[in-house]
Amino acid sequence: MPGKPGIVCVEGAQEPCEEFWSRIRKLTWKRILIRHREDVPLSSSASGSQVEIQKLRKFPALEEKAFDVHGNRGNHMDLGQLYQFLQEKGCADVFPMYFGIEGR
């Protein structure tokens, strides 16, 4: 989600996710941190774990979400719309972790 606040959600096997974080952390951010992380144990076979990962995905396609913009410079997203989006994806429980308020 671009603007303020900005959120990046990364799904996949642990090693590629950690590599992604390593690369994105080096960019010129004012501040970026991992607020929440979920590690899910998978079966030991490579093909089986790939199938499991696909079943666990909440965001099957790469997409940038931009909700109604607010603020005097047009850089603050509508958190209510973000909450609704997360609720549709089954992730509404992370909203209070990120923003410290209950979503509506």
Side-chain angles (χ1 to χ4, degrees):
M1 189 173 103
K4 297 177 184 175
I7 297 174
V8 177
C9 175
V10 181
E11 297 178 303
Q14 184 175 1
E15 190 174 310
C17 287
E18 288 177 357
E19 171 67 21
F20 176 82
W21 173 246
S22 168
R23 290 179 181 206
I24 203 166
R25 190 180 66 226
K26 293 175 185 171
L27 298 175
T28 56
W29 303 97
K30 185 173 183 178
R31 185 175 131 205
I32 188 167
L33 54 100
I34 295 176
R35 280 273 174 106
H36 178 68
R37 177 180 172 154
E38 293 179 17
D39 292 324
V40 178
L42 302 173
S43 65
S44 57
S45 73
S47 62
S49 62
Q50 287 302 320
V51 171
E52 286 181 75
I53 288 172
Q54 292 304 322
K55 288 180 181 176
L56 291 168
R57 286 193 191 281
K58 297 187 181 204
F59 305 96
L62 175 64
E63 61 182 323
E64 179 180 17
K65 300 301 287 185
F67 303 108
D68 290 340
V69 178
H70 298 291
N72 56 358
R73 291 180 294 186
N75 62 351
H76 292 270
M77 298 292 147
D78 185 319
L79 293 181
Q81 289 180 358
L82 171 62
Y83 178 76
Q84 293 301 320
F85 173 76
L86 291 173
Q87 195 169 35
E88 291 169 10
K89 299 293 186 177
C91 309
D93 57 319
V94 300
F95 192 86
M97 281 188 260
Y98 293 151
F99 304 109
I101 57 174
E102 292 298 318
R104 302 183 270 140

